[in-house]
Amino acid sequence: MPTEFTTSFLKDATDLLHYYKKLGTSAIEQTPDSALVATLDHESNSIATIVKHLSGNMRSRWSDFLTTDGEKPDRNRDSEFETPPQTRDEIVALWEAGWKILFDSLGHLTDADLTRSVLIRTEPHSVVQAIGRSLAHTVYHVGQIVYLAKHFAGEKWNSLSVPKGKSAERNARMGLGSNLRRERRP
């Protein structure tokens, strides 16, 4: 997570997306191969399916970001939930491809672009709104990946954040008191 103070929306959004990519990558790495395509029930998606959907979404939203609608005519969203990739190599390739498109596009934006208008499904969005929408969508699905990975890894899971029962220990290492509370404003 970013720890430096900044007033750059682009930097903050990019840093946050890098953080969530790292979480998702770490979760996928901890998932047994067979579990990458497993579902919890008939209505659930596998990690492979979620990756396929995220990659398709990122490709559609971030290719030619400033000049074309974020819902590309060749995107078939429904197919992203069918026939998921079956191997770790295929899953990781899709994962990396989607993130590359996103980060390449973000890397070309400037602060002057933030008030420009882009379309998503013919609906106008400021660049800030489009980034926020993409960030929320991506984080939602990375959370699903982490949840599934943790479930399938079981006792072999290595926490990606503060492990259960270790908050006080972490706070002590950071020099924080044990009675941390947010002050309520009147």
Side-chain angles (χ1 to χ4, degrees), residues 99-175:
W99 285 103
K100 181 176 180 353
I101 293 167
L102 182 151
F103 288 129
D104 284 351
S105 186
L106 278 175
H108 288 99
L109 295 177
T110 66
D111 287 341
D113 292 320
L114 296 179
T115 57
R116 290 182 62 176
S117 181
V118 295
L119 298 176
I120 301 175
R121 295 186 178 130
T122 72
E123 187 180 320
H125 291 67
S126 71
V127 168
V128 170
Q129 288 173 313
I131 291 170
R133 179 176 172 162
S134 186
L135 179 61
H137 178 257
T138 302
V139 169
Y140 171 80
H141 287 302
V142 169
Q144 291 175 323
I145 290 169
V146 171
Y147 179 82
L148 289 169
K150 184 176 180 180
H151 171 79
F152 289 121
E155 292 179 6
K156 294 181 179 178
W157 179 255
N158 291 312
S159 179
L160 303 178
S161 62
V162 181
K164 279 185 180 182
K166 300 290 184 180
S167 294
E169 182 181 312
R170 180 177 183 269
N171 289 345
R173 276 196 323 267
M174 296 178 71

Side-chain angles (χ1 to χ4, degrees), residues 1 5 9 14 16 47 66 68 72 76-77 79-81 83 85 95 103 119 122 147 155-156 171 177:
M1 261 321 241
F5 178 79
F9 174 78
T14 301
L16 207 52
I47 290 173
L66 292 172
T68 63
K72 302 297 183 277
N76 181 348
R77 182 185 176 281
S79 72
E80 294 166 11
F81 297 93
T83 320
W95 177 255
F103 288 129
L119 298 176
T122 72
Y147 179 82
E155 292 179 6
K156 294 181 179 178
N171 289 345

